[in-house]
Amino acid sequence: MIEDRIKSEIVQRTVLSELIGDSISLQRRGNTFVSCCPFHNEKTPSFHINDDKGFYHCFGCEVSGDAFQWLIDFKKLSFPEALKELADRSGVQLPKYSAKDKEKISQFQLDIEFMEWLKSWYHKQLLANSSSLQYLTSSRKLSLDTIKSQALGFSPKYKSFIDDIPADKQKWVEIAQALGIIKTSKQNRKYDAFYGRIMFPVLDYKNRCIAFGGRVLDDQQMPKYINSAENRLFSKKTVLFNFRNAIDSRQKDIIVVEGYIDVIALTNVNINNTVATLGTAISVLQMQNLWKRQCIPILCFDGDTAGLNASYRATKRLLPDINVNNIFTVVTLPLDKDPDQIIMENGKQKFYEIVEGSLNIPEFLFQFHFKNINQDDPNHRAKAELNLINDIAEIKDNILKRNYTSDIKDKIFRFSRYKKKTKLNKIPSVQTSYFDREIVKVIFMNPDLILDVPEIEYIDIYNDKINELLQFMISTFITEYAKNDNNKISVEDFQEIVDSNFPDLLKSVVNIKLPAFDDIFTRREYIQKYIASQNKKDRI
């Protein structure tokens, strides 16, 4: 373990602007340097480097770090590699590796060499096997480009990689046994543990193969999915499938799905900001790998009872580790659907709309606990409230806990007061807020309605994100209208203000197709009917 003193000395000796300036163009601004951020797309520079503090920070995507973090995040180096590069650059002498350390490094390199060879061998078998290739292209609708870019493979039943290991690489047999890829039968015969399966290589943060997942092709007597056992290369609780590609997509939102089939289906339609766990529940370590890169994970599990319960268990498990900077949201898919099915049946845009309707943590927990209860029974409501409060109490970050507690108290008050008969057993996703989005679009396109229909101020949309957008639109129009000398704000100016504050969310609203309107009176009537129907629900 490198001493903090040595790391500190390296950071002090490294001129950060020179290090980063080797890779991107910088401009001096006073005592700092600025550039367009290399970690997200932007037109105005918001990436700042301070040599005095040895620190960089982006005010756009909130990424930050020192010289070590720069090499790890931008150049994708491991910590030991970053340490060596910075030590050589700064002239700091590193302690010598012990014989044991050198042996571990040598073994790791041999393991990776074998795994990379095996990944290539499986891939060649897939391209040469028409039935397995047809399964992926016809049944799973994957393009050949996706199959090649993901290096998908096939392990034949009646042919083993063991027979194709080069004569001068026979040590690989021992490595394969140690990594759990070769197993031995009762008859003392060595065989491939993944035989008869489509192969999904699992890569580390440097895109090196460290494990495999396998899906059975046609034998129903075999387990459908198996993954590499934990070994000296691979830990299920720390690795996420497709992690490097998702980070390289440079999107802040990272969609976490249940399996690699879902990831492949999404990448097949160029949704690359997707990762999957490997046969285990999402762990704190996996989430921390995303959080430390300033990502916001979106849990997107299957739309059945098991998937919903898995989302709740994951949320409950992660509550002690969230804070104002490390959060996540939860997507609830349509009943009995998974991401792969939605993509194949409804397409990419539909999936985007559903993800856009993801629920924040207090909203998801509220929906989960109050589903299926007898809303007229105070004992049922009390039990649901107790469970919800107990969950929020698990949060250690006091600021977040205080705000979440305030939020759920408001939700419980509204629920108890109006006793809405919403079917919470189907936790609302984007489908349940489609008409809400219609209304918001009508108002966005015709802001004069905010004054013409005063009741708009009392619209209460259940989706927190859409409700926040609506309330911003109302307050913005009224404020701008009041301070304008002519008491008139143009539609274009109003829309520009809203768009600058809610660019991504607004897209999901503007893309909604509206009914045909003849004039402003029809629009007003449409809004009034919506408000009337909402009030009717409140009185039920």
Side-chain angles (χ1 to χ4, degrees):
M1 189 65 143
I2 190 71
E3 293 182 17
D4 290 340
R5 177 185 56 80
I6 296 176
K7 182 181 176 183
S8 177
E9 183 180 355
I10 289 173
V11 170
Q12 289 175 4
R13 288 195 187 187
T14 300
V15 180
L16 188 58
S17 62
E18 293 180 0
L19 175 68
I20 296 177
D22 288 344
S23 302
I24 63 174
S25 177
L26 302 179
Q27 294 179 337
R28 179 179 284 277
R29 186 177 293 175
N31 294 327
T32 63
F33 290 83
V34 299
S35 174
C36 286
C37 181
F39 297 104
H40 80 285
N41 297 321
E42 64 176 3
K43 296 180 180 178
T44 304
S46 61
F47 186 77
H48 291 246
I49 302 155
N50 189 315
D51 282 333
D52 292 336
K53 296 181 179 179
F55 199 74
Y56 64 83
H57 180 77
C58 175
F59 291 92
C61 68
E62 301 298 327
V63 66
S64 60
D66 59 11
F68 284 92
Q69 201 62 47
W70 169 259
L71 293 180
I72 290 169
D73 288 346
F74 185 79
K75 287 194 171 183
K76 311 301 180 186
L77 300 186
S78 65
F79 178 78
E81 290 167 335
L83 178 65
K84 185 178 186 310
E85 179 169 327
L86 290 173
D88 290 344
R89 186 184 186 103
S90 61
V92 174
Q93 187 70 33
L94 293 178
K96 299 292 185 181
Y97 283 116
S98 67
K100 189 174 182 180
D101 289 335
K102 290 180 179 179
E103 184 181 345
K104 284 184 178 180
I105 294 171
S106 175
Q107 185 62 63
F108 175 81
Q109 292 170 339
L110 288 172
D111 290 347
I112 292 296
E113 180 187 27
F114 163 69
M115 293 294 282
E116 286 292 317
W117 175 86
L118 185 56
K119 178 184 74 172
S120 177
W121 189 90
Y122 283 143
H123 184 60
K124 290 175 182 176
Q125 304 309 308
L126 174 65
L127 298 180
N129 187 287
S130 58
S131 61
S132 56
L133 193 59
Q134 185 176 11
Y135 166 77
L136 293 175
T137 56
S138 299
S139 300
R140 312 303 304 196
K141 308 296 183 186
L142 300 183
S143 69
L144 196 58
D145 285 343
T146 297
I147 291 170
K148 289 181 177 179
S149 67
Q150 293 286 333
L152 303 187
F154 179 63
S155 176
K157 277 187 176 181
Y158 305 109
K159 181 181 180 181
S160 173
F161 70 85
I162 302 172
D163 300 325
D164 286 348
I165 291 178
D168 62 340
K169 299 289 185 181
Q170 289 303 304
K171 188 174 179 62
W172 284 356
V173 175
E174 296 177 18
I175 291 175
Q177 287 178 302
L179 299 180
I181 296 171
I182 287 180
K183 292 189 175 182
T184 305
S185 68
K186 293 179 180 179
Q187 293 75 33
N188 205 32
R189 183 181 65 84
K190 294 180 177 64
Y191 65 95
D192 183 350
F194 290 94
Y195 73 90
R197 295 177 182 275
I198 300 290
M199 299 298 291
F200 300 84
V202 179
L203 312 180
D204 67 4
Y205 61 93
K206 292 195 70 175
N207 271 353
R208 298 171 298 201
C209 185
I210 56 173
F212 291 99
R215 186 197 188 282
V216 69
L217 188 59
D218 53 16
D219 191 341
Q220 299 303 314
Q221 302 302 313
M222 295 164 59
K224 191 173 182 179
Y225 294 100
I226 61 171
N227 297 310
S228 287
E230 295 212 352
N231 54 57
R232 61 197 180 208
L233 285 182
F234 172 59
S235 171
K236 293 180 182 179
K237 292 183 178 180
T238 59
V239 177
L240 286 165
F241 183 80
N242 200 54
F243 177 76
R244 168 69 181 273
N245 290 340
I247 297 302
D248 284 350
S249 72
R250 296 189 179 180
Q251 297 189 51
K252 196 164 188 176
D253 292 336
I254 300 295
I255 304 167
V256 183
V257 295
E258 289 191 62
Y260 34 77
I261 289 287
D262 293 323
V263 170
I264 300 298
L266 293 170
T267 56
N268 191 55
V269 293
N270 293 318
I271 302 177
N272 298 310
N273 56 321
T274 311
V275 296
T277 56
L278 293 155
T280 62
I282 185 76
S283 72
V284 172
L285 290 175
Q286 289 168 327
M287 293 289 278
Q288 286 174 343
N289 280 336
L290 296 173
W291 284 332
K292 73 180 181 181
R293 289 167 173 82
Q294 286 74 47
C295 298
I296 300 178
I298 303 173
L299 305 187
C300 183
F301 299 159
D302 294 353
D304 53 14
T305 301
L308 180 60
N309 289 334
S311 294
Y312 171 68
R313 289 194 301 271
T315 299
K316 189 171 175 63
R317 186 185 315 111
L318 297 168
L319 287 176
D321 293 276
I322 62 174
N323 56 51
V324 292
N325 296 313
N326 297 340
I327 58 171
F328 61 92
T329 61
V330 183
V331 170
T332 55
L333 298 182
L335 188 63
D336 294 330
K337 299 292 183 182
D338 59 35
D340 180 29
Q341 291 172 311
I342 293 171
I343 290 295
M344 288 205 292
E345 296 173 9
N346 305 108
K348 177 180 180 178
Q349 185 56 40
K350 186 66 172 180
F351 182 77
Y352 269 138
E353 290 177 359
I354 293 172
V355 171
E356 185 60 43
S358 66
L359 306 174
N360 61 35
I361 294 170
E363 178 68 20
F364 171 73
L365 291 173
F366 172 78
Q367 292 283 333
F368 182 85
H369 286 299
F370 280 80
K371 68 183 175 68
N372 285 339
I373 71 167
N374 181 350
Q375 298 175 26
D376 294 320
D377 189 330
N379 292 321
H380 285 205
R381 296 199 306 271
K383 185 176 181 180
E385 180 177 346
L386 178 61
N387 290 334
L388 180 54
I389 291 174
N390 286 340
D391 282 349
I392 298 299
E394 295 291 323
I395 300 173
K396 294 179 180 178
D397 185 282
N398 290 328
I399 296 175
L400 202 63
K401 183 190 293 187
R402 183 170 65 249
N403 281 273
Y404 280 10
T405 300
S406 174
D407 189 60
I408 64 168
K409 283 182 177 179
D410 180 60
K411 293 179 188 299
I412 292 169
F413 172 77
R414 285 189 290 159
F415 180 84
S416 300
R417 180 178 179 183
Y418 297 114
K419 298 187 180 65
K420 293 182 179 181
K421 295 294 185 178
T422 47
K423 294 183 178 179
L424 298 183
N425 55 312
K426 274 183 146 182
I427 296 181
S429 63
V430 74
Q431 292 96 330
T432 61
S433 60
Y434 187 90
F435 295 109
D436 295 337
R437 291 169 188 256
E438 277 191 357
I439 293 302
V440 173
K441 181 175 180 178
V442 171
I443 298 171
F444 177 73
M445 304 301 292
N446 307 273
D448 285 345
L449 287 168
I450 294 172
L451 298 180
D452 291 342
V453 186
E455 296 91 341
I456 284 177
E457 187 176 351
Y458 301 103
I459 291 178
D460 185 17
I461 292 177
Y462 212 65
N463 184 299
D464 285 349
K465 291 182 179 180
I466 303 300
N467 195 50
E468 183 183 356
L469 171 60
L470 174 62
Q471 298 306 319
F472 179 83
M473 287 165 51
I474 293 170
S475 63
T476 297
F477 185 80
I478 293 174
T479 301
E480 293 298 321
Y481 188 92
K483 73 181 183 183
N484 193 297
D485 292 338
N486 299 320
N487 270 1
K488 186 69 176 175
I489 178 175
S490 70
V491 173
E492 292 77 13
D493 288 344
F494 166 78
Q495 291 176 345
E496 184 177 345
I497 293 172
V498 176
D499 184 43
S500 65
N501 283 273
F502 293 87
D504 296 329
L505 184 58
L506 194 60
K507 287 178 185 177
S508 70
V509 171
V510 174
N511 288 335
I512 294 289
K513 186 176 180 181
L514 291 176
F517 294 118
D518 295 328
D519 50 42
I520 191 67
F521 296 104
T522 309
R523 294 180 178 88
R524 184 183 302 143
E525 291 170 1
Y526 187 73
I527 292 280
Q528 289 170 333
K529 285 182 180 179
Y530 172 87
I531 294 171
S533 67
Q534 190 182 60
N535 289 339
K536 183 178 179 181
K537 288 179 183 177
D538 288 350
R539 292 193 299 268
I540 293 176

